[in-house]
Amino acid sequence: MPKRTRAGVLAAVVVGLTAGAALSTAPAGAATKAPAPKFLAASELPPHPSSTWTAGKVTDGVPEEMQYCFGEALLAYDSRFRTFRTDLDTGAEQLNIVVGDNAKAKALATRLDKEVRRCVTRMDADPEIEADYKAYGTLPVEEGARVHGFATRASWGAMDIHLVSVGRDGGTVTVVQWGQMGDFTDAPVKAFKKTTTTAVDKLY
């Protein structure tokens, strides 16, 4: 979620021989490392009416904007993320978690979906914050994705709207989060669902 709102609500994944040599010494039948899941490009985010998205570098760990809601659920996993920004108040993040095991990845995705609801409940318990949740349903992409939305209103007047999706392709889970100033009427739900479908489809 944007840092301004988070501040109110929270107070806020060996260089060796040359490739040829390595290949020549690799034992027959040795397993090759699975490719890393791909990330969204800036152009694949919901279009902004008056600004352009820019994409940050892919970075190890969990973005600060997601730690409040998902931090504890992700402690046992290595993950990587990319942050997206506009010139104005809109921001987004994508987090990819390679679990490897399909059953464990399914369990993680289920937990993260639940954590969105729990996170909104925790925010709403703050006497200076009102938080409301909306479920925007599931998407038929790979092993599926679910879309959530929540709006926050602070006692000092700040209003923010957020869309969050959790999707899975085999043993990999991806989380996409979008946020800006506004309320539910400002949420680009249709465009965000398209972004989510692209994010899950693009992993591999």
Side-chain angles (χ1 to χ4, degrees), residues 21-47:
L23 287 173
S24 66
T25 58
T32 57
K33 186 176 180 180
K38 296 178 181 178
F39 284 81
L40 289 164
S43 61
E44 294 165 327
L45 273 290

Side-chain angles (χ1 to χ4, degrees), residues 179-192:
Q180 70 171 34
M181 292 175 60
D183 57 26
F184 284 115
T185 63
D186 301 300
V189 177
K190 183 177 180 179
F192 185 77

Side-chain angles (χ1 to χ4, degrees), residues 73-149:
L74 298 172
L75 288 176
Y77 303 99
D78 291 329
S79 56
R80 307 184 81 198
F81 70 92
R82 169 175 275 177
T83 298
F84 304 86
R85 303 191 186 284
T86 67
D87 294 333
L88 301 177
D89 65 318
T90 308
E93 302 82 34
Q94 181 184 9
L95 174 71
N96 288 342
I97 312 106
V98 180
V99 181
D101 180 280
N102 285 12
K104 290 181 179 179
K106 180 180 180 180
L108 176 61
T110 298
R111 178 176 178 182
L112 294 178
D113 280 321
K114 293 179 180 178
E115 290 297 337
V116 178
R117 295 294 303 267
R118 293 185 184 122
C119 189
V120 177
T121 299
R122 290 202 307 274
M123 293 179 195
D124 198 47
D126 187 317
E128 295 191 354
I129 299 292
E130 282 185 59
D132 295 312
Y133 170 88
K134 280 190 178 182
Y136 288 112
T138 59
L139 300 172
V141 54
E142 298 298 343
E143 277 65 61
R146 186 176 296 275
V147 180
H148 313 265

Side-chain angles (χ1 to χ4, degrees), residues 9-32:
V9 175
L10 311 181
V13 167
V14 174
V15 177
L17 301 173
T18 63
L23 287 173
S24 66
T25 58
T32 57

